[in-house]
């Protein structure tokens, strides 16, 4: 065969490499979906296994749509509803308090109140004998009642002088709320039958102010207090037992922030 009839030999080298094409990054999307699904799965397992009702309610409230509430005027250093009479400061009970205008006990307020209760209940010094503490979740926040009992009082008899035990309770409360921005209302209550006329109003006013001062001494700034209210014997805890010692108390109200998420007033501590 002649050299003219010989065909040239052509060698083709095909370069292969990568996962080119439109499907090159699809595995990343699938992996991200898988990781997200696993995270949601483990979160579901955690929610099912956790016994903390406060956390569960808090998560539920987080995904609840906002329920805007009207804003309320607030003084720089708190307000005290009062009227002059017989040289004493008395509280007016004819109009609703500012705290009653709020709605929904917020998660933050309930968690703080729960921490306060835990600190007091677990303290051997503060939890000896009948309980002087009563927590009440309400639509406007949480009411922390520091009550007298048949064996232990909050104040020295017929005075506005806090005893050592009450000062310790207020110190615990102050330490638990000092890092938050929760606004505070303080109420003074006496027995309906202690004394007539302006005496009850004056005593309950001075006791509320004494509780406020004790919290202020423990680091709570004055502008955190929005109300200091004298209620005398108008709102007993036990209306059918007016002479019961628990009706004589000071109440620290932790108020929700305006426009907070709707809460659950039926929450139990």
């Amino acid at each position: 065969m002649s050299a003219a009839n010989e065909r040239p030999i052509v060698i083709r080298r095909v370069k292969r490499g990568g996962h080119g094409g439109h499907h090159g990054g699809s595995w990343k999307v699938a992996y991200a979906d898988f990781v997200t699904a696993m995270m949601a799965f483990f979160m579901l397992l955690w929610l099912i296994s956790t016994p903390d009702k406060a956390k569960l309610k808090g998560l539920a409230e987080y995904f609840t749509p906002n329920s805007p509430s009207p804003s309320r005027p607030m003084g720089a250093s708190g307000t005290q509803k009062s009227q002059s009479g017989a040289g004493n400061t008395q509280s007016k009970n004819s109009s609703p308090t500012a705290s009653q205008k709020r709605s929904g006990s917020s998660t933050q307020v309930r968690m703080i109140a729960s921490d306060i209760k835990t600190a007091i209940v677990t303290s051997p010094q503060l939890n000896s004998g009948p309980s002087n503490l009563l927590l009440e979740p309400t639509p406007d926040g949480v009411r922390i009642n520091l009550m007298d009992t048949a064996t232990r009082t909050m104040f020295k008899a017929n005075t506005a002088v806090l005893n050592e035990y009450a000062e310790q309770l207020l110190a615990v409360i102050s330490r638990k709320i000092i890092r938050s921005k929760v606004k505070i209302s303080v109420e003074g209550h006496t027995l309906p039958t202690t004394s007539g006329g302006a005496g009850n109003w004056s005593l309950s006013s001075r006791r509320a102010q004494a509780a406020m001062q004790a919290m202020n001494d423990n680091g709570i700034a004055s502008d955190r207090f929005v109300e200091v209210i004298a209620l005398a014997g108008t709102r007993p805890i036990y209306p059918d037992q007016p002479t019961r010692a628990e009706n004589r108390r000071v109440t620290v109200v932790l108020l929700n922030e305006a426009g907070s998420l709707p809460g659950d007033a039926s929450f139990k501590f």
Side-chain angles (χ1 to χ4, degrees), residues 11 85 103 133 154 162 170 194 198 223 235 250:
I11 300 175
S103 61
L133 181 72
M154 296 291 103
L162 289 160
L170 290 168
T194 301
D223 59 3
R235 296 184 187 176
V250 289

Side-chain angles (χ1 to χ4, degrees), residues 83-90 198:
Q83 63 180 9
S84 299
N88 294 310
T89 301
Q90 303 181 13

Side-chain angles (χ1 to χ4, degrees), residues 147-256:
M147 311 175 298
D148 286 5
T149 64
T151 58
R152 184 162 50 193
T153 63
M154 296 291 103
F155 294 86
K156 296 182 179 179
N158 298 320
T159 72
V161 180
L162 289 160
N163 60 32
E164 183 179 357
Y165 179 74
E167 289 178 345
Q168 292 174 351
L169 290 178
L170 290 168
V172 170
I173 294 173
S174 300
R175 286 196 298 269
K176 294 298 180 181
I177 65 178
I178 193 170
R179 295 182 182 275
S180 71
K181 296 182 180 179
V182 172
K183 295 294 184 178
I184 307 162
S185 173
V186 183
E187 302 171 356
H189 302 265
T190 61
L191 295 183
T193 58
T194 301
S195 61
N200 276 353
W201 292 100
S202 176
L203 181 59
S204 62
S205 174
R206 289 185 287 114
R207 286 183 170 182
Q209 292 179 52
M212 172 191 173
Q213 185 61 53
M215 296 179 70
N216 188 249
D217 293 342
N218 279 281
I220 305 299
S222 298
D223 59 3
R224 297 278 297 277
F225 298 92
V226 298
E227 292 175 330
V228 179
I229 311 172
L231 293 173
T234 61
R235 296 184 187 176
I237 292 181
Y238 300 98
D240 56 335
Q241 303 177 59
T243 60
R244 186 162 172 168
E246 285 82 354
N247 292 327
R248 188 171 51 236
R249 67 199 188 279
V250 289
T251 302
V252 177
V253 186
L254 306 183
L255 300 171
N256 299 327

Side-chain angles (χ1 to χ4, degrees), residues 52-67:
D52 194 330
K53 293 183 179 180
K55 290 182 179 178
L56 295 177
K57 287 181 177 290
L59 288 170
E61 287 182 0
Y62 180 82
F63 293 101
T64 303
N66 257 340
S67 177

Side-chain angles (χ1 to χ4, degrees), residues 49-180:
S49 63
T50 182
D52 194 330
K53 293 183 179 180
K55 290 182 179 178
L56 295 177
K57 287 181 177 290
L59 288 170
E61 287 182 0
Y62 180 82
F63 293 101
T64 303
N66 257 340
S67 177
S69 60
S71 59
R72 42 176 279 180
M74 187 180 302
S77 60
T79 59
Q80 181 172 352
K81 300 178 180 180
S82 63
Q83 63 180 9
S84 299
N88 294 310
T89 301
Q90 303 181 13
S91 171
K92 288 184 178 179
N93 198 31
S94 57
S95 60
T97 64
S99 62
Q100 291 172 327
K101 299 177 184 178
R102 296 174 179 264
S103 61
S105 182
S106 71
T107 304
Q108 181 191 25
V109 166
R110 290 204 309 269
M111 293 296 288
I112 293 174
S114 182
D115 288 344
I116 291 172
K117 180 178 181 181
T118 300
I120 294 175
V121 169
T122 57
S123 171
Q125 294 79 17
L126 299 179
N127 194 34
S128 59
S131 176
N132 294 78
L133 181 72
L134 175 63
L135 272 60
E136 298 177 291
T138 66
D140 55 293
V142 175
R143 299 172 61 82
I144 304 174
N145 296 287
L146 305 182
M147 311 175 298
D148 286 5
T149 64
T151 58
R152 184 162 50 193
T153 63
M154 296 291 103
F155 294 86
K156 296 182 179 179
N158 298 320
T159 72
V161 180
L162 289 160
N163 60 32
E164 183 179 357
Y165 179 74
E167 289 178 345
Q168 292 174 351
L169 290 178
L170 290 168
V172 170
I173 294 173
S174 300
R175 286 196 298 269
K176 294 298 180 181
I177 65 178
I178 193 170
R179 295 182 182 275
S180 71

Side-chain angles (χ1 to χ4, degrees), residues 23-39:
H23 63 282
S26 61
W27 69 272
K28 298 178 182 178
V29 177
Y31 180 73
D33 291 341
F34 170 75
V35 171
T36 302
M38 290 299 295
M39 183 174 63

